[in-house]
Amino acid sequence: IKPDDLAVPEETVATKDVVPTPSATVTAAGSPPASPPPPPPSIEEMARANAAAAAWSARCRHRMLVYNNRMWILGGSPNAAGGTALNDVWYSTDGITWTQATAAAGWTGRFNAVGLSYNNLLWIISGQLAASVDDDVWSSADGVTWTQVTAAAGFSTRQAATGLVFNNLMWIMGGSTNAGTTNNEVWYST
C-alpha cells in the first residue's frame, strides 16, 4: 500500500511496519472495499489444464512463435537424437486446440531452425535437415503457402542459431555447422 492510494493526508498515514494481512481490508475513507481479482492459476494448475496431448506429434527442437494472435509450431524432430526432420506447421489460439496449417510446408523438414514473426509474415531460417545443415530462408503469410526468399543466405549454413526481431530488423546470432563448429557471428536483415 502506498500513501497516495489512501484518501487520508499523507502525514497521518503510518508507513512503517504496516503490512496488510490476507484477511485485512484497507479502503479509502467512505469507500466500500473492492473485490479483489481472482488469483492467477498456478503453473501446476496450468500444466494440469493442458496436460492432454496436443494434436501435433511429439517433437523437440521445433520452433514456436507468436504470429497473427496465434501460437505457431514449425517443424522439429520426433526424437532427441535428431536424424528425422519434420516440416509440418500447426497453430492455436489457446494452446489446447491445435490446427494443422499444413502437413508438408514448402521447406525441407528441419529442426534447430530460427523461427520469427516479422513484417506480417512467418519466417523459418536455416536449420538442421535430416543429414545436413542449410542456410535457406522461407516466409509465409498464412502458414500454408511458403515462399523461398533465398536458397543461400549471406551467412554460412547453421543450426541452433538464435534469432529475434529488434529495431524492425531480423537478427541471427551464433549457431553451429553440420560439423559442430560454433560461431559468434551476428547478422541482420530487413
Side-chain angles (χ1 to χ4, degrees), residues 46-47 49-56 64 69-73 91-99:
M46 287 189 295
N50 296 313
W56 40 272
M64 190 165 190
N69 294 317
R70 295 175 174 171
M71 294 178 280
W72 292 82
I73 292 178
Y91 67 87
S92 175
T93 58
D94 61 11
I96 298 169
T97 303
W98 290 88
T99 301

Side-chain angles (χ1 to χ4, degrees), residues 5 29 94 118 147 155 168:
D5 294 338
D94 61 11
Y118 172 74
T147 302
F155 51 80
N168 205 31

Side-chain angles (χ1 to χ4, degrees), residues 46-186:
M46 287 189 295
R48 281 193 299 270
N50 296 313
W56 40 272
S57 63
R59 66 191 64 211
C60 60
R61 300 195 274 178
H62 52 285
R63 290 303 147 235
M64 190 165 190
L65 53 120
V66 174
Y67 167 72
N68 202 21
N69 294 317
R70 295 175 174 171
M71 294 178 280
W72 292 82
I73 292 178
L74 311 176
S77 177
N79 60 67
T84 303
L86 304 170
N87 68 335
D88 55 347
V89 178
W90 294 80
Y91 67 87
S92 175
T93 58
D94 61 11
I96 298 169
T97 303
W98 290 88
T99 301
Q100 187 174 53
T102 183
W107 36 270
T108 305
R110 64 195 62 212
F111 52 90
N112 287 346
V114 171
L116 296 173
S117 171
Y118 172 74
N119 202 22
N120 297 314
L121 296 169
L122 290 162
W123 294 79
I124 191 160
I125 304 169
S126 67
Q128 173 74 49
L129 310 182
S132 64
V133 177
D134 209 341
D135 62 340
D136 58 350
V137 178
W138 295 77
S139 68
S140 174
D142 60 8
V144 177
T145 303
W146 290 83
T147 302
Q148 187 174 42
V149 177
T150 183
F155 51 80
S156 60
T157 60
R158 68 193 58 217
Q159 56 105 15
T162 299
L164 57 87
V165 174
F166 177 71
N167 274 349
N168 205 31
L169 297 170
M170 291 186 291
W171 294 80
I172 307 296
M173 300 173 203
S176 67
T177 65
N178 200 36
T181 304
T182 59
N183 69 67
N184 62 346
E185 297 173 351
V186 176

